[in-house]
Amino acid sequence: IRLKGIEAQVRDLAGGAFEADPTLLARVLQNLLTNALGHTGEGGQVFLSAQAGEDEAVVLSVRDTGEGIPERFKDRIFLKFTQASDGDGPRTSTGLGLTFCKMAVEAHGGRIWFDSQEGVGSTFFVWLPRRAREQD
C-alpha cells in the first residue's frame, strides 16, 4: 500500500457481531483485498466496509479505483482458473481466489457479487447472515 501510494480506508457500520468462520472469512477478505490492491495503480484508493444488511445480515464490500473488469470477463469471474486479463504478462495467480471466495461465502449461507466499470474500478460485495446456518 505504501509503495504504490494507495489510500486505504476501513469503515465498520455493521452495528454488531455476526457468526462466521474467522479463518475462512479472513481468507475471503484477504483475496478480495489482494485483488483490489493488485489492480489499483499508484495513487489509487481501496475501501473496505461492513454495514447492516437486510434480513438480519451484514454486507461487506471491497471497492477499488483500479482498472475495472473488462466486460468480456464478467460472466466468468468466479470460475476456476479464470483471470480478468488477456495474459499478455506473466501469470502471478492461479485464478482460484474468487472461486474460493464464492464457495466460502456460500458455505456460510451468503452470496457474493460485484459491480465493475473499466477504467473506474470494482466493488465486490459479500452478504452474510448474522447467524450461522444450521449444519445437517
mmCIF file of all heavy atoms in Angstrom, residues 93-129:
data_model
loop_
_atom_site.group_PDB
_atom_site.id
_atom_site.type_symbol
_atom_site.label_atom_id
_atom_site.label_comp_id
_atom_site.label_asym_id
_atom_site.label_seq_id
_atom_site.Cartn_x
_atom_site.Cartn_y
_atom_site.Cartn_z
ATOM 1 N N SER A 93 -0.980 -15.578 -10.591
ATOM 2 C CA SER A 93 -2.096 -16.093 -9.807
ATOM 3 C C SER A 93 -2.601 -17.387 -10.434
ATOM 4 O O SER A 93 -2.456 -17.612 -11.635
ATOM 5 C CB SER A 93 -3.212 -15.042 -9.787
ATOM 6 O OG SER A 93 -4.397 -15.590 -9.282
ATOM 7 N N THR A 94 -3.231 -18.202 -9.606
ATOM 8 C CA THR A 94 -3.810 -19.451 -10.114
ATOM 9 C C THR A 94 -5.198 -19.249 -10.695
ATOM 10 O O THR A 94 -5.709 -20.117 -11.395
ATOM 11 C CB THR A 94 -3.931 -20.489 -8.982
ATOM 12 O OG1 THR A 94 -4.796 -19.963 -7.970
ATOM 13 C CG2 THR A 94 -2.577 -20.842 -8.414
ATOM 14 N N GLY A 95 -5.833 -18.128 -10.385
ATOM 15 C CA GLY A 95 -7.201 -17.921 -10.839
ATOM 16 C C GLY A 95 -8.208 -18.665 -9.980
ATOM 17 O O GLY A 95 -9.322 -18.947 -10.418
ATOM 18 N N LEU A 96 -7.836 -18.988 -8.744
ATOM 19 C CA LEU A 96 -8.738 -19.708 -7.841
ATOM 20 C C LEU A 96 -9.250 -18.840 -6.698
ATOM 21 O O LEU A 96 -10.149 -19.256 -5.965
ATOM 22 C CB LEU A 96 -8.023 -20.937 -7.253
ATOM 23 C CG LEU A 96 -7.692 -22.037 -8.253
ATOM 24 C CD1 LEU A 96 -6.832 -23.104 -7.594
ATOM 25 C CD2 LEU A 96 -8.968 -22.642 -8.805
ATOM 26 N N GLY A 97 -8.726 -17.660 -6.522
ATOM 27 C CA GLY A 97 -9.091 -16.818 -5.382
ATOM 28 C C GLY A 97 -10.566 -16.490 -5.314
ATOM 29 O O GLY A 97 -11.205 -16.657 -4.272
ATOM 30 N N LEU A 98 -11.147 -16.012 -6.404
ATOM 31 C CA LEU A 98 -12.561 -15.654 -6.388
ATOM 32 C C LEU A 98 -13.462 -16.884 -6.353
ATOM 33 O O LEU A 98 -14.550 -16.833 -5.793
ATOM 34 C CB LEU A 98 -12.903 -14.753 -7.572
ATOM 35 C CG LEU A 98 -12.313 -13.346 -7.483
ATOM 36 C CD1 LEU A 98 -12.575 -12.566 -8.764
ATOM 37 C CD2 LEU A 98 -12.846 -12.602 -6.269
ATOM 38 N N THR A 99 -12.989 -17.996 -6.909
ATOM 39 C CA THR A 99 -13.732 -19.255 -6.802
ATOM 40 C C THR A 99 -13.807 -19.669 -5.341
ATOM 41 O O THR A 99 -14.877 -20.042 -4.836
ATOM 42 C CB THR A 99 -13.058 -20.368 -7.630
ATOM 43 O OG1 THR A 99 -12.966 -19.938 -8.987
ATOM 44 C CG2 THR A 99 -13.837 -21.662 -7.547
ATOM 45 N N PHE A 100 -12.674 -19.592 -4.639
ATOM 46 C CA PHE A 100 -12.659 -19.900 -3.216
ATOM 47 C C PHE A 100 -13.609 -18.973 -2.463
ATOM 48 O O PHE A 100 -14.382 -19.410 -1.601
ATOM 49 C CB PHE A 100 -11.246 -19.771 -2.630
ATOM 50 C CG PHE A 100 -11.266 -19.737 -1.134
ATOM 51 C CD1 PHE A 100 -11.384 -20.918 -0.415
ATOM 52 C CD2 PHE A 100 -11.227 -18.529 -0.453
ATOM 53 C CE1 PHE A 100 -11.458 -20.886 0.971
ATOM 54 C CE2 PHE A 100 -11.298 -18.501 0.925
ATOM 55 C CZ PHE A 100 -11.415 -19.681 1.639
ATOM 56 N N CYS A 101 -13.553 -17.675 -2.753
ATOM 57 C CA CYS A 101 -14.421 -16.707 -2.070
ATOM 58 C C CYS A 101 -15.887 -17.090 -2.223
ATOM 59 O O CYS A 101 -16.640 -17.098 -1.246
ATOM 60 C CB CYS A 101 -14.201 -15.302 -2.627
ATOM 61 S SG CYS A 101 -12.608 -14.568 -2.197
ATOM 62 N N LYS A 102 -16.278 -17.426 -3.432
ATOM 63 C CA LYS A 102 -17.670 -17.803 -3.694
ATOM 64 C C LYS A 102 -18.058 -19.039 -2.891
ATOM 65 O O LYS A 102 -19.112 -19.076 -2.253
ATOM 66 C CB LYS A 102 -17.870 -18.045 -5.190
ATOM 67 C CG LYS A 102 -19.292 -18.360 -5.598
ATOM 68 C CD LYS A 102 -19.392 -18.410 -7.109
ATOM 69 C CE LYS A 102 -20.697 -18.734 -7.724
ATOM 70 N NZ LYS A 102 -21.851 -18.969 -6.965
ATOM 71 N N MET A 103 -17.209 -20.037 -2.885
ATOM 72 C CA MET A 103 -17.504 -21.270 -2.156
ATOM 73 C C MET A 103 -17.588 -21.013 -0.649
ATOM 74 O O MET A 103 -18.495 -21.518 0.026
ATOM 75 C CB MET A 103 -16.451 -22.326 -2.470
ATOM 76 C CG MET A 103 -16.514 -22.818 -3.909
ATOM 77 S SD MET A 103 -15.128 -23.888 -4.359
ATOM 78 C CE MET A 103 -15.389 -25.264 -3.265
ATOM 79 N N ALA A 104 -16.671 -20.240 -0.103
ATOM 80 C CA ALA A 104 -16.653 -19.964 1.331
ATOM 81 C C ALA A 104 -17.868 -19.144 1.755
ATOM 82 O O ALA A 104 -18.493 -19.424 2.780
ATOM 83 C CB ALA A 104 -15.361 -19.249 1.715
ATOM 84 N N VAL A 105 -18.209 -18.147 0.963
ATOM 85 C CA VAL A 105 -19.359 -17.302 1.281
ATOM 86 C C VAL A 105 -20.646 -18.123 1.209
ATOM 87 O O VAL A 105 -21.505 -18.043 2.102
ATOM 88 C CB VAL A 105 -19.414 -16.076 0.340
ATOM 89 C CG1 VAL A 105 -20.741 -15.354 0.443
ATOM 90 C CG2 VAL A 105 -18.256 -15.135 0.648
ATOM 91 N N GLU A 106 -20.796 -18.927 0.173
ATOM 92 C CA GLU A 106 -21.999 -19.755 0.043
ATOM 93 C C GLU A 106 -22.081 -20.808 1.146
ATOM 94 O O GLU A 106 -23.179 -21.157 1.587
ATOM 95 C CB GLU A 106 -22.062 -20.387 -1.347
ATOM 96 C CG GLU A 106 -22.359 -19.346 -2.415
ATOM 97 C CD GLU A 106 -22.347 -19.894 -3.835
ATOM 98 O OE1 GLU A 106 -21.930 -21.061 -4.042
ATOM 99 O OE2 GLU A 106 -22.751 -19.142 -4.739
ATOM 100 N N ALA A 107 -20.941 -21.298 1.622
ATOM 101 C CA ALA A 107 -20.936 -22.259 2.733
ATOM 102 C C ALA A 107 -21.478 -21.615 4.013
ATOM 103 O O ALA A 107 -21.979 -22.315 4.891
ATOM 104 C CB ALA A 107 -19.531 -22.800 2.968
ATOM 105 N N HIS A 108 -21.401 -20.298 4.101
ATOM 106 C CA HIS A 108 -21.951 -19.561 5.243
ATOM 107 C C HIS A 108 -23.411 -19.167 5.007
ATOM 108 O O HIS A 108 -23.987 -18.439 5.819
ATOM 109 C CB HIS A 108 -21.133 -18.288 5.484
ATOM 110 C CG HIS A 108 -19.849 -18.520 6.195
ATOM 111 N ND1 HIS A 108 -18.709 -18.932 5.549
ATOM 112 C CD2 HIS A 108 -19.528 -18.415 7.506
ATOM 113 C CE1 HIS A 108 -17.740 -19.048 6.427
ATOM 114 N NE2 HIS A 108 -18.202 -18.758 7.630
ATOM 115 N N GLY A 109 -23.997 -19.600 3.906
ATOM 116 C CA GLY A 109 -25.372 -19.217 3.585
ATOM 117 C C GLY A 109 -25.469 -17.833 2.990
ATOM 118 O O GLY A 109 -26.541 -17.232 2.950
ATOM 119 N N GLY A 110 -24.343 -17.313 2.502
ATOM 120 C CA GLY A 110 -24.316 -15.974 1.945
ATOM 121 C C GLY A 110 -24.213 -15.960 0.434
ATOM 122 O O GLY A 110 -24.348 -16.993 -0.224
ATOM 123 N N ARG A 111 -23.951 -14.777 -0.091
ATOM 124 C CA ARG A 111 -23.756 -14.638 -1.541
ATOM 125 C C ARG A 111 -22.722 -13.553 -1.801
ATOM 126 O O ARG A 111 -22.499 -12.679 -0.970
ATOM 127 C CB ARG A 111 -25.074 -14.365 -2.254
ATOM 128 C CG ARG A 111 -25.770 -13.113 -1.882
ATOM 129 C CD ARG A 111 -27.154 -13.029 -2.568
ATOM 130 N NE ARG A 111 -27.821 -11.798 -2.284
ATOM 131 C CZ ARG A 111 -28.556 -11.551 -1.211
ATOM 132 N NH1 ARG A 111 -28.726 -12.477 -0.313
ATOM 133 N NH2 ARG A 111 -29.123 -10.382 -1.034
ATOM 134 N N ILE A 112 -22.101 -13.637 -2.958
ATOM 135 C CA ILE A 112 -21.075 -12.686 -3.359
ATOM 136 C C ILE A 112 -21.375 -12.225 -4.777
ATOM 137 O O ILE A 112 -21.824 -13.012 -5.610
ATOM 138 C CB ILE A 112 -19.654 -13.315 -3.247
ATOM 139 C CG1 ILE A 112 -18.564 -12.286 -3.553
ATOM 140 C CG2 ILE A 112 -19.529 -14.548 -4.112
ATOM 141 C CD1 ILE A 112 -17.148 -12.772 -3.236
ATOM 142 N N TRP A 113 -21.144 -10.950 -5.035
ATOM 143 C CA TRP A 113 -21.338 -10.394 -6.374
ATOM 144 C C TRP A 113 -20.450 -9.166 -6.513
ATOM 145 O O TRP A 113 -19.786 -8.762 -5.559
ATOM 146 C CB TRP A 113 -22.819 -10.074 -6.618
ATOM 147 C CG TRP A 113 -23.349 -8.907 -5.857
ATOM 148 C CD1 TRP A 113 -23.478 -7.618 -6.295
ATOM 149 C CD2 TRP A 113 -23.838 -8.900 -4.504
ATOM 150 N NE1 TRP A 113 -24.004 -6.824 -5.305
ATOM 151 C CE2 TRP A 113 -24.245 -7.577 -4.202
ATOM 152 C CE3 TRP A 113 -23.970 -9.877 -3.523
ATOM 153 C CZ2 TRP A 113 -24.763 -7.223 -2.970
ATOM 154 C CZ3 TRP A 113 -24.481 -9.511 -2.288
ATOM 155 C CH2 TRP A 113 -24.876 -8.212 -2.021
ATOM 156 N N PHE A 114 -20.445 -8.597 -7.693
ATOM 157 C CA PHE A 114 -19.594 -7.429 -7.914
ATOM 158 C C PHE A 114 -20.237 -6.465 -8.888
ATOM 159 O O PHE A 114 -21.160 -6.812 -9.636
ATOM 160 C CB PHE A 114 -18.214 -7.847 -8.435
ATOM 161 C CG PHE A 114 -18.230 -8.444 -9.811
ATOM 162 C CD1 PHE A 114 -18.035 -7.655 -10.930
ATOM 163 C CD2 PHE A 114 -18.466 -9.800 -9.986
ATOM 164 C CE1 PHE A 114 -18.068 -8.200 -12.199
ATOM 165 C CE2 PHE A 114 -18.501 -10.356 -11.242
ATOM 166 C CZ PHE A 114 -18.301 -9.559 -12.355
ATOM 167 N N ASP A 115 -19.721 -5.258 -8.859
ATOM 168 C CA ASP A 115 -20.069 -4.216 -9.808
ATOM 169 C C ASP A 115 -18.742 -3.654 -10.284
ATOM 170 O O ASP A 115 -17.854 -3.400 -9.460
ATOM 171 C CB ASP A 115 -20.917 -3.142 -9.134
ATOM 172 C CG ASP A 115 -21.351 -2.051 -10.095
ATOM 173 O OD1 ASP A 115 -21.576 -2.350 -11.279
ATOM 174 O OD2 ASP A 115 -21.448 -0.888 -9.662
ATOM 175 N N SER A 116 -18.576 -3.491 -11.580
ATOM 176 C CA SER A 116 -17.300 -3.017 -12.091
ATOM 177 C C SER A 116 -17.489 -2.235 -13.375
ATOM 178 O O SER A 116 -18.371 -2.548 -14.178
ATOM 179 C CB SER A 116 -16.369 -4.206 -12.344
ATOM 180 O OG SER A 116 -15.098 -3.754 -12.755
ATOM 181 N N GLN A 117 -16.659 -1.242 -13.530
ATOM 182 C CA GLN A 117 -16.643 -0.451 -14.752
ATOM 183 C C GLN A 117 -15.193 -0.244 -15.153
ATOM 184 O O GLN A 117 -14.375 0.208 -14.338
ATOM 185 C CB GLN A 117 -17.340 0.888 -14.527
ATOM 186 C CG GLN A 117 -17.451 1.726 -15.767
ATOM 187 C CD GLN A 117 -18.208 3.025 -15.495
ATOM 188 O OE1 GLN A 117 -18.787 3.231 -14.441
ATOM 189 N NE2 GLN A 117 -18.166 3.909 -16.465
ATOM 190 N N GLU A 118 -14.875 -0.593 -16.386
ATOM 191 C CA GLU A 118 -13.497 -0.438 -16.860
ATOM 192 C C GLU A 118 -13.039 1.005 -16.705
ATOM 193 O O GLU A 118 -13.770 1.936 -17.014
ATOM 194 C CB GLU A 118 -13.383 -0.853 -18.332
ATOM 195 C CG GLU A 118 -13.242 -2.341 -18.512
ATOM 196 C CD GLU A 118 -12.934 -2.718 -19.952
ATOM 197 O OE1 GLU A 118 -11.743 -2.713 -20.325
ATOM 198 O OE2 GLU A 118 -13.891 -3.018 -20.676
ATOM 199 N N GLY A 119 -11.824 1.156 -16.204
ATOM 200 C CA GLY A 119 -11.234 2.472 -16.028
ATOM 201 C C GLY A 119 -11.709 3.219 -14.790
ATOM 202 O O GLY A 119 -11.201 4.288 -14.482
ATOM 203 N N VAL A 120 -12.686 2.648 -14.071
ATOM 204 C CA VAL A 120 -13.241 3.318 -12.893
ATOM 205 C C VAL A 120 -12.964 2.517 -11.626
ATOM 206 O O VAL A 120 -12.630 3.069 -10.588
ATOM 207 C CB VAL A 120 -14.765 3.547 -13.047
ATOM 208 C CG1 VAL A 120 -15.362 4.153 -11.791
ATOM 209 C CG2 VAL A 120 -15.042 4.433 -14.259
ATOM 210 N N GLY A 121 -13.089 1.196 -11.707
ATOM 211 C CA GLY A 121 -12.825 0.342 -10.552
ATOM 212 C C GLY A 121 -13.876 -0.725 -10.360
ATOM 213 O O GLY A 121 -14.793 -0.874 -11.170
ATOM 214 N N SER A 122 -13.736 -1.470 -9.285
ATOM 215 C CA SER A 122 -14.623 -2.584 -8.977
ATOM 216 C C SER A 122 -15.018 -2.550 -7.512
ATOM 217 O O SER A 122 -14.258 -2.080 -6.662
ATOM 218 C CB SER A 122 -13.928 -3.922 -9.245
ATOM 219 O OG SER A 122 -13.519 -4.027 -10.588
ATOM 220 N N THR A 123 -16.196 -3.073 -7.240
ATOM 221 C CA THR A 123 -16.641 -3.283 -5.870
ATOM 222 C C THR A 123 -17.151 -4.705 -5.762
ATOM 223 O O THR A 123 -18.008 -5.122 -6.550
ATOM 224 C CB THR A 123 -17.771 -2.314 -5.462
ATOM 225 O OG1 THR A 123 -17.342 -0.972 -5.688
ATOM 226 C CG2 THR A 123 -18.149 -2.501 -3.998
ATOM 227 N N PHE A 124 -16.615 -5.458 -4.810
ATOM 228 C CA PHE A 124 -17.093 -6.801 -4.512
ATOM 229 C C PHE A 124 -17.892 -6.733 -3.223
ATOM 230 O O PHE A 124 -17.457 -6.106 -2.246
ATOM 231 C CB PHE A 124 -15.930 -7.786 -4.380
ATOM 232 C CG PHE A 124 -15.418 -8.240 -5.708
ATOM 233 C CD1 PHE A 124 -14.558 -7.444 -6.441
ATOM 234 C CD2 PHE A 124 -15.825 -9.451 -6.245
ATOM 235 C CE1 PHE A 124 -14.102 -7.837 -7.686
ATOM 236 C CE2 PHE A 124 -15.372 -9.857 -7.493
ATOM 237 C CZ PHE A 124 -14.514 -9.050 -8.213
ATOM 238 N N PHE A 125 -19.071 -7.359 -3.238
ATOM 239 C CA PHE A 125 -19.981 -7.360 -2.100
ATOM 240 C C PHE A 125 -20.117 -8.783 -1.569
ATOM 241 O O PHE A 125 -20.212 -9.732 -2.357
ATOM 242 C CB PHE A 125 -21.370 -6.881 -2.524
ATOM 243 C CG PHE A 125 -21.388 -5.496 -3.086
ATOM 244 C CD1 PHE A 125 -21.273 -5.280 -4.453
ATOM 245 C CD2 PHE A 125 -21.535 -4.390 -2.251
ATOM 246 C CE1 PHE A 125 -21.308 -4.002 -4.983
ATOM 247 C CE2 PHE A 125 -21.564 -3.105 -2.773
ATOM 248 C CZ PHE A 125 -21.448 -2.909 -4.140
ATOM 249 N N VAL A 126 -20.154 -8.904 -0.251
ATOM 250 C CA VAL A 126 -20.381 -10.189 0.405
ATOM 251 C C VAL A 126 -21.534 -10.004 1.378
ATOM 252 O O VAL A 126 -21.436 -9.216 2.326
ATOM 253 C CB VAL A 126 -19.119 -10.665 1.165
ATOM 254 C CG1 VAL A 126 -19.422 -11.922 1.969
ATOM 255 C CG2 VAL A 126 -17.970 -10.906 0.193
ATOM 256 N N TRP A 127 -22.638 -10.696 1.135
ATOM 257 C CA TRP A 127 -23.802 -10.674 2.022
ATOM 258 C C TRP A 127 -23.745 -11.929 2.875
ATOM 259 O O TRP A 127 -23.653 -13.040 2.347
ATOM 260 C CB TRP A 127 -25.087 -10.654 1.191
ATOM 261 C CG TRP A 127 -26.350 -10.632 1.990
ATOM 262 C CD1 TRP A 127 -27.085 -9.534 2.324
ATOM 263 C CD2 TRP A 127 -27.045 -11.760 2.540
ATOM 264 N NE1 TRP A 127 -28.184 -9.912 3.055
ATOM 265 C CE2 TRP A 127 -28.180 -11.274 3.203
ATOM 266 C CE3 TRP A 127 -26.810 -13.134 2.542
ATOM 267 C CZ2 TRP A 127 -29.083 -12.103 3.860
ATOM 268 C CZ3 TRP A 127 -27.711 -13.968 3.199
ATOM 269 C CH2 TRP A 127 -28.834 -13.451 3.839
ATOM 270 N N LEU A 128 -23.765 -11.751 4.200
ATOM 271 C CA LEU A 128 -23.709 -12.880 5.122
ATOM 272 C C LEU A 128 -24.810 -12.746 6.169
ATOM 273 O O LEU A 128 -25.016 -11.660 6.711
ATOM 274 C CB LEU A 128 -22.368 -12.927 5.850
ATOM 275 C CG LEU A 128 -21.133 -13.224 5.008
ATOM 276 C CD1 LEU A 128 -19.868 -12.950 5.812
ATOM 277 C CD2 LEU A 128 -21.159 -14.659 4.529
ATOM 278 N N PRO A 129 -25.494 -13.852 6.482
ATOM 279 C CA PRO A 129 -26.473 -13.791 7.567
ATOM 280 C C PRO A 129 -25.742 -13.588 8.895
ATOM 281 O O PRO A 129 -24.611 -14.027 9.059
ATOM 282 C CB PRO A 129 -27.151 -15.171 7.512
ATOM 283 C CG PRO A 129 -26.177 -16.058 6.825
ATOM 284 C CD PRO A 129 -25.382 -15.183 5.885
#
